[in-house]
């Protein structure tokens, strides 16, 4: 029997997931959608040629007989919908970030605690990217020995004008925050942000772009992650792990080598949805399969969402203090 689901938020990633759930993912049936922007959900459904009911509110969608709710609304709206859905006993797939504050993540965790088991998965899709999965296998199998340092780059060609200095952490670096502690099976100890010279191509007068985050883990791994959201040249993701016995890097995205006009070149992607398209497919299929077969999601949990949020909070604090800030976690419930 197919998992009946509803989707809340039909903007960019919502539309993409709706298409994915209706055409690529098996074992799932989308029965309802909602968006707070008047008319948007209806026009997306029409555009994608789907026979899906449009609901007036997330509350009505949640109580419409669905088994699972996909939350793809704006980040600030995630927590309320997630809590409402968990309280109604629904499985939840929530796009990243889980919530915009660590307090809201803890409220979501409290809602799950009432069942003493997981109902929710966070959309940290990089854990499903082939390159990251291979990197993790190399680290877990100690092929390069103990990890010592990690060097990352998360570059966007450009961002919208209202992108802010803190969003480089809470919306962009949040992916590295999640995937890196998962890669090395460790928790963060301290985090700090350094501001290099501001790019004259920054998307607004107010944004500090680029930024360099320095994170240390409990076991002593030192991570440097460069975030540059108006780099101009393309979408570029790098990750290099240096170990005692070798080094492992994320593979380059394959692209044809072209020789023309006395030059040899390969092209770069500009769109992050394209870069992680396979990871998104694997991620959603894994959520659906785990819920159907095991009665619980097995991907990134609300606890992982909380780790990301509290680490992001410390990094945003460091943007003001200029200092290394500690990352202090609450007590972890035993079912995570
Ligand atoms: C964006 O906010 C995302 O969430 C994407 O997943 C990420 O790849 C992109 O670089 C971010 O800007």
């Amino acid at each position: 029997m197919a998992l009946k689901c509803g989707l809340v938020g039909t903007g960019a990633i919502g539309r993409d997931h709706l298409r994915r759930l209706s055409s690529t993912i098996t074992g799932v049936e989308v029965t309802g959608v909602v968006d707070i922007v008047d008319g948007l959900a209806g026009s997306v459904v029409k555009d994608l040629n789907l026979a899906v009911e449009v609901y007036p509110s997330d509350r009505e969608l949640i109580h419409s007989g669905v088994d699972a709710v996909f939350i793809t609304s704006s980040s600030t709206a995630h927590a309320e919908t997630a809590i409402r859905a968990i309280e109604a006993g629904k499985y939840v797939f929530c796009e990243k970030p889980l919530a915009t504050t660590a307090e809201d993540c803890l409220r979501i965790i409290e809602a799950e605690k009432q069942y003493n088991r997981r109902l929710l998965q966070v959309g940290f899709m990089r854990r499903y990217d082939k390159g990251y999965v291979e990197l993790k296998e190399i680290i877990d199998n100690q092929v390069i020995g103990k990890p010592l340092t990690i060097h990352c780059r998360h570059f966007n060609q450009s961002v919208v004008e209202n992108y802010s200095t803190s969003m480089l952490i809470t919306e962009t670096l949040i992916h590295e925050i999640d995937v890196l502690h998962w890669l090395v099976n460790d928790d963060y100890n301290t985090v700090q942000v350094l501001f290099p010279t501001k790019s004259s191509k920054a998307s607004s007068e107010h944004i500090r772009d680029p930024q360099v985050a320095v994170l240390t883990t409990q076991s002593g791994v030192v991570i440097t992650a460069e975030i540059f959201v108006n780099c101009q040249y393309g979408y570029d993701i790098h990750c290099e792990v240096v170990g005692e016995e070798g080094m492992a890097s994320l593979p380059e995205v394959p692209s044809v080598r072209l020789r023309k006009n006395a030059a040899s070149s390969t092209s770069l992607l500009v769109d992050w949805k394209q870069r992680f398209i396979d990871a998104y497919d694997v991620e959603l299929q894994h959520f659906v399969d785990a819920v159907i077969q095991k009665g619980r999601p097995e991907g990134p949990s609300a606890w992982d969402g909380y780790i990301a949020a509290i680490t992001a909070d410390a990094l945003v604090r460091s943007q003001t203090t200029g200092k290394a800030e500690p990352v202090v976690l609450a007590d972890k419930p035993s079912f995570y």
Side-chain angles (χ1 to χ4, degrees):
M1 259 243 304
L3 190 76
K4 275 170 84 177
C5 76
L7 182 135
V8 180
T10 55
I13 190 71
R15 183 193 164 102
D16 215 40
H17 281 346
L18 185 57
R19 175 199 54 72
R20 188 168 275 117
L21 289 167
S22 316
S23 63
T24 314
I25 309 301
T26 57
V28 66
E29 184 198 352
V30 186
T31 56
V33 292
V34 58
D35 196 286
I36 53 159
V37 177
D38 227 15
L40 180 64
S43 74
V44 169
V45 162
K46 197 165 159 226
D47 234 38
L48 296 175
N49 202 15
L50 302 174
V52 170
E53 182 139 3
V54 175
Y55 285 87
S57 69
D58 65 346
R59 199 181 296 272
E60 276 152 281
L61 174 70
I62 290 166
H63 292 282
S64 67
V66 293
D67 307 307
V69 178
F70 285 77
I71 304 176
T72 48
S73 48
S74 66
S75 305
T76 48
H78 288 180
E80 295 317 317
T81 305
I83 291 169
R84 212 167 274 150
I86 292 170
E87 282 175 350
K90 310 297 174 182
Y91 294 104
V92 177
F93 179 93
C94 181
E95 255 311 322
K96 54 60 61 176
L98 175 57
T100 47
T101 63
E103 288 71 32
D104 275 349
C105 293
L106 287 175
R107 287 174 57 223
I108 295 170
I109 288 170
E110 278 304 310
E112 274 192 317
K113 258 193 191 165
Q114 295 172 28
Y115 301 85
N116 205 29
R117 69 187 179 96
R118 292 189 51 187
L119 291 177
L120 180 143
Q121 174 165 333
V122 185
F124 282 127
M125 80 298 188
R126 290 205 190 172
R127 295 191 189 199
Y128 295 91
D129 174 72
K130 204 164 165 282
Y132 278 107
V133 170
E134 281 174 21
L135 258 189
K136 181 154 178 68
E137 276 167 15
I138 284 171
I139 294 167
D140 285 351
N141 295 329
Q142 308 203 337
V143 177
I144 56 167
K146 202 161 57 176
L148 307 173
T149 57
I150 306 181
H151 308 285
C152 302
R153 205 186 295 152
H154 185 155
F155 285 10
N156 291 80
Q157 191 173 33
S158 62
V159 287
V160 288
E161 213 188 316
N162 64 1
Y163 220 75
S164 64
T165 298
S166 62
M167 283 166 83
L168 269 79
I169 306 296
T170 59
E171 295 287 335
T172 303
L173 187 73
I174 200 89
H175 287 288
E176 276 76 16
I177 297 175
D178 176 67
V179 85
L180 297 177
H181 81 86
W182 169 79
L183 265 187
V184 293
N185 305 303
D186 206 350
D187 280 324
Y188 295 116
N189 183 25
T190 61
V191 295
Q192 183 174 14
V193 174
L194 305 174
F195 291 126
T197 303
K198 179 177 156 162
S199 163
S200 65
K201 308 283 183 194
S203 39
S204 74
E205 211 187 298
H206 314 288
I207 192 173
R208 286 304 305 250
D209 187 31
Q211 299 179 25
V212 177
V214 182
L215 301 91
T216 64
T217 71
Q218 298 284 343
S219 78
V221 180
V222 175
I223 299 164
T224 52
E226 203 176 334
I227 330 139
F228 191 8
V229 295
N230 293 280
C231 82
Q232 310 295 305
Y233 71 81
Y235 184 63
D236 211 5
I237 301 295
H238 285 252
C239 181
E240 245 176 38
V241 184
V242 179
E244 289 173 321
E245 296 167 38
M247 193 179 85
S249 322
L250 212 55
E252 286 284 336
V253 179
S255 137
V256 167
R257 175 161 293 281
L258 185 68
R259 285 176 164 78
K260 194 172 171 183
N261 297 334
S264 162
S265 64
T266 56
S267 53
L268 292 173
L269 292 176
V270 290
D271 181 0
W272 47 269
K273 287 199 229 72
Q274 204 55 37
R275 167 67 179 81
F276 289 108
I277 192 162
D278 296 339
Y280 282 121
D281 290 348
V282 180
E283 170 192 50
L284 292 199
Q285 191 65 65
H286 182 241
F287 172 79
V288 170
D289 291 349
V291 166
I292 293 176
Q293 290 158 21
K294 304 192 176 157
R296 61 170 192 279
E298 296 197 315
S301 66
W303 183 255
D304 292 310
Y306 163 72
I307 292 181
I310 199 141
T311 308
D313 281 355
L315 281 156
V316 170
R317 259 197 326 276
S318 172
Q319 287 181 328
T320 310
T321 64
K323 296 193 185 127
E325 296 285 339
V327 179
V328 183
L329 301 180
D331 289 334
K332 182 175 173 178
S334 55
F335 61 90
Y336 287 116

